[in-house]
Amino acid sequence: MSIREKGYHRWDGRLEERRRGWKPIARLGIRLAFKRKHFKFAFSLSFLPAFVFLAGIYLSERLQDFEGIVRKGAMPLRVVPGYFLSYLTADFVLFMTVVLLIFCAAGLVADDLKHNALQLYFARPLAKRDYVLGKAAVVMFFVLLLTLVPGLLLVVFKIVFSGSFGLLRDHPGLPLAIVVYSAAAAVFFASYSLLLSSLSRNRRTASFLIFGIYVFSDMLAEILRGIFRTPYVGLVSVKTNLKLAAAPLFGTKPVLEVPSVYAFVVLAAVVAAGAWVMNRRIRGVTIIK
Amino acid sequence: MSAGKTVDIELKDIAYSYGPIEALRGVSLSLGAGATGLLGPNGAGKSTLLRILLGFLEPDSGEGRVLGYDIRFERDDIRRRVGYMPEDDCLLPGMDAVTFTSYLGELAGMPRQEAMKRAHDVLFYVGLGEARYRFLETYSAGMKQRLKLAQALVHDPPLLFLDEPTANLDPRGRTDILELIADIAAKKDIRVLISSHILSDIESVCSQAVILNKGRVAALGRLADLRQPNFNLFEMRVKGGSGKFLKDLTGLGCRVEETEDGLLRVFMPVGLDRKKVFRLAAEDRTQIRHFLPSRTSLEDLFAQSVGVEG
């Protein structure tokens, strides 16, 4: 391969002063996630519950069409805010969210640390917050795709299938609750995964931590509940905290007899820890080497 | 703030400490067009200086401008206009060279389409045209080095900072990279600041050099001027009690280096009469069997500067 197969040409364009320096980072992160092996399969699979809940909405509105196969005295399916909460905090949805994080988030910071890429980023006119926001946006994109988009579409389909705005009339705060929960879940999962990704220089270790802590915290909570017989040990579980925090937004009873504010505090602590660790890890690499 | 026309880098009394360790002590310099070599032994402050110029570190005191922009308050403007090739192996895994280069162009502020187009151009320029769609993980050390140069060039900066650009390269790879850098500096109207330990690299590419030692500027100027030093270099072979003779030479203000094959390289102060050396040898009962003036290389200058300051 000879050097200078083509001559060097000056570029006469103008460099933009970006206000959203995080956008190219987010775009590339999303693109790279789809290039990973098995990601598309996992991504498609994670929408399965949305279709099941959609079918549920359809059935609830067309119950008379299925009278022949429905057991007599069976409770009719009621599509109320709790129904949407069930979708958003379904074990399978949360589990698939974590699986997607393994693909799209584990290497976000770990790979940059391993390959000394931070200096490439910060030799550009890029602020630390742009970097963090860009990486977080990758996670938030996928979490919102699994929560916000299906959540709002389910509301839309409920209106379409019922032919009335009865749901919104009776529960006007429902869309906002879906938006707030989805946004909070997106922020939490972004902080959770970036925190763990920045703790290691190895993508596999970060993947193991993301998956392991989610699963192990749930198991640990169950074990502790068996030992101490108090619902408060549920606060150890990532999944339970998300469910506890979501309940008041949708006006439903919490899964455990624990004030939701405690769950908010635990989730907020994870977000704060994520921000703190990211800040230290980035400064450690770019400033003093 | 508009970019300066003649002086690209101007520093005045820059100081920086890592806790109790003073990395830079009152560095003042002014660099203009062409390629400049930044030389110095380990711990001299080269990397710290580059980091200050890029705005990674804020100096404890002093002031400076790069391309007319203040190193304290206009860091983004500097980074937008400077290309930086780091010393370490650094890449973003899971992508090909075109994606990598265009992505970094975009981060520098180029529009997306332009960055993509430009990525192809610079990859061809650095000789990675045929390999531009290969995954970066499969690149050899030489290819990675060229790729780092490509990402530094993608946004067409008027000033390039190259940190050890020939590190870990085989002789052919070294020649290729140096050829590229020489072409960039001489024909593309891009000013280059090269930090390197390899003096011959600096000599082959740069028109001026800065030698740092213990955080201070030990020598600075055009290479041609620096080679007109304030010392004369002689090669000497002696027989007899050389120990006392060498000590006495040092007493005359000379600096003496002994090579592996017993050749003495004597840096004599300009005003010193060489007859004094012979007189001294006679007094010390030492025979001088070989005494020839030698051409001053950058190594000599480096050794002398670092030695004098040390």
Side-chain angles (χ1 to χ4, degrees), chain B residues 172-216:
Chain B
R172 189 176 164 196
R174 241 182 88 191
T175 312
D176 284 349
I177 284 283
L178 289 174
E179 202 184 309
L180 265 173
I181 296 170
D183 186 68
I184 290 165
K187 298 176 187 165
K188 311 302 182 199
D189 195 26
I190 296 175
R191 279 81 87 196
V192 184
L193 179 64
I194 307 171
S195 163
S196 179
H197 288 98
I198 305 170
L199 303 182
S200 59
D201 288 358
I202 299 290
E203 272 193 307
S204 66
V205 172
C206 298
S207 55
Q208 53 189 339
V210 179
I211 300 177
L212 285 182
N213 186 39
K214 293 184 177 174
R216 292 185 195 279

Side-chain angles (χ1 to χ4, degrees), chain A residues 108-162:
Chain A
L108 280 176
V109 184
D111 283 345
D112 287 346
L113 293 175
K114 182 179 179 182
H115 296 279
N116 299 314
L118 287 179
Q119 51 189 329
L120 291 177
Y121 283 100
F122 294 108
R124 261 75 191 169
L126 196 73
K128 207 191 284 184
R129 67 165 183 278
D130 290 326
Y131 176 81
V132 175
L133 206 57
K135 298 290 181 180
V138 178
V139 181
M140 290 165 89
F141 172 79
F142 288 110
V143 175
L144 291 176
L145 266 186
L146 278 187
T147 52
L148 181 67
V149 175
L152 291 179
L153 281 177
L154 288 176
V155 173
V156 171
F157 277 111
K158 168 67 184 169
I159 292 165
V160 170
F161 291 152
S162 66

Side-chain angles (χ1 to χ4, degrees), chain A residues 1-18 21 24-28 31-32 35 111-112 115-117 119-127 135 285-289, chain B residues 51 56-57 76 79-80 84 86 88-95 99-100 103-104 106-112 114 118 122 124-127 146 151 153-156 176 179-180 183 188-190:
Chain A
M1 224 173 332
S2 67
I3 295 260
R4 290 193 297 284
E5 290 169 60
K6 283 186 177 179
Y8 183 91
H9 305 290
R10 298 313 301 258
W11 179 64
D12 53 7
R14 195 170 166 276
L15 293 170
E16 296 164 3
E17 290 194 20
R18 283 189 193 283
I25 300 174
R27 202 186 305 125
L28 184 82
R31 260 179 66 196
L32 290 180
K35 282 188 179 175
D111 283 345
D112 287 346
H115 296 279
N116 299 314
Q119 51 189 329
L120 291 177
Y121 283 100
F122 294 108
R124 261 75 191 169
L126 196 73
K135 298 290 181 180
V285 173
T286 58
I287 303 303
I288 299 166
K289 200 176 166 193
Chain B
R51 280 159 197 273
F56 286 173
L57 299 173
D76 279 358
R79 291 176 188 175
R80 195 170 288 117
Y84 175 54
D88 315 299
D89 252 1
C90 48
L91 49 87
L92 306 169
M95 65 179 83
T99 310
F100 173 82
Y103 174 57
L104 290 168
E106 246 189 286
L107 289 179
M110 295 179 86
R112 200 170 161 201
E114 294 282 318
R118 176 89 182 151
V122 290
F124 270 106
Y125 177 67
V126 300
R146 290 182 197 192
Q151 64 78 29
L153 283 169
V154 66
H155 55 297
D156 194 23
D176 284 349
E179 202 184 309
L180 265 173
D183 186 68
K188 311 302 182 199
D189 195 26
I190 296 175

